[in-house]
Amino acid sequence: KVFVFKLLYGGSAYGFSKQHDFAHISTNIKVWEKLIETFYTKYKGVYNWHKDLVRTVVDTGRLVMPTGREFVFPIKEVLDKMYLWRPKILNYPVQGTGADLVCIGRVTAATRLKRLWCPALWISTVHDSVDLDVPNELDNSGIPWYNIVCKVIHESISDIPTNFYNLFGVKFDLPLQATISYGPTLGDLKTWVPSQS
């Protein structure tokens, strides 16, 4: 998993060979070049996407995501130091689009909770995590507010692909799921499962 994530975010054979976490596999650049080649052979779509991202930046100096998020790159610097810029070229679309997806889920959940007159407070949102404070009380139907909030978050995340299409006209066919936890403190959380609702 760590190898795949690093590769998707622009990891290089040189970088893998120098990283302490991968030293038990190999410190030989050639070994890593072969592993990366094997990965790209199996996942040709990822290889072609990475190649297209780099080509687009070299040709235009920018990348525009389906959400309209735009990344601008200094072409001369990119050409002079591709080894430094390639990881950014591959990473920004993943991280930026991921942030946009979480934003869609967060806005959907906030809208739905507001309609329910839910007394939840949004405490923080960091990368792909959201934290809410919810009173340890029941709603008018006798359902714990934490259960209602967990259900709304679950449904809002599940609905991101549909909402992405509705907002941007682009099909997003990756089912999204979230691990949802609740409890009196961050140190005392239980995992919420949809069957609890």
Side-chain angles (χ1 to χ4, degrees):
K1 179 178 177 180
V2 176
F3 167 75
V4 172
F5 270 50
K6 283 190 172 295
L7 189 59
L8 291 176
Y9 295 155
S12 66
Y14 175 82
F16 284 117
S17 73
K18 297 297 181 189
Q19 191 156 7
H20 176 73
D21 292 344
F22 292 101
H24 67 284
I25 297 171
S26 180
T27 56
N28 185 320
I29 292 176
K30 296 289 182 198
V31 169
W32 287 106
E33 286 173 350
K34 183 65 180 166
L35 286 169
I36 291 170
E37 180 186 336
T38 301
F39 177 88
Y40 277 145
T41 299
K42 182 174 182 180
Y43 300 103
K44 288 182 176 64
V46 174
Y47 172 75
N48 290 331
W49 183 56
H50 281 179
K51 198 167 72 173
D52 288 345
L53 289 174
V54 172
R55 184 184 307 115
T56 300
V57 168
V58 168
D59 291 347
T60 69
R62 65 188 63 234
L63 292 172
V64 181
M65 302 299 97
T67 60
R69 182 187 288 266
E70 185 173 344
F71 302 104
V72 179
F73 298 86
I75 296 178
K76 185 178 182 323
E77 281 187 40
V78 169
L79 292 173
D80 289 346
K81 296 183 178 178
M82 181 59 78
Y83 64 93
L84 288 177
W85 282 98
R86 185 177 181 275
K88 294 175 185 180
I89 293 167
L90 303 186
N91 187 0
Y92 290 0
V94 175
Q95 297 288 349
T97 304
D100 292 337
L101 295 172
V102 173
C103 184
I104 292 167
R106 189 173 61 237
V107 170
T108 302
T111 302
R112 291 173 180 178
L113 290 172
K114 190 174 182 180
R115 281 190 203 132
L116 295 171
W117 296 90
C118 178
L121 294 174
W122 292 80
I123 302 303
S124 70
T125 62
V126 179
H127 192 56
D128 60 353
S129 175
V130 297
D131 293 314
L132 293 90
D133 272 355
V134 181
N136 189 19
E137 300 169 2
L138 306 178
D139 78 342
N140 293 336
S141 320
I143 301 170
W145 274 115
Y146 79 83
N147 198 50
I148 293 167
V149 170
C150 290
K151 183 178 181 191
V152 167
I153 296 292
H154 170 73
E155 290 170 351
S156 299
I157 298 301
S158 298
D159 289 346
I160 288 173
T162 300
N163 290 331
F164 191 86
Y165 180 77
N166 292 339
L167 288 165
F168 305 110
V170 176
K171 287 191 178 182
F172 186 93
D173 60 2
L174 178 67
L176 296 178
Q177 298 175 344
T179 300
I180 301 172
S181 303
Y182 66 96
T185 68
L186 288 175
D188 187 25
L189 295 177
K190 297 177 186 171
T191 300
W192 180 87
V193 291
S195 61
Q196 289 178 241
S197 56

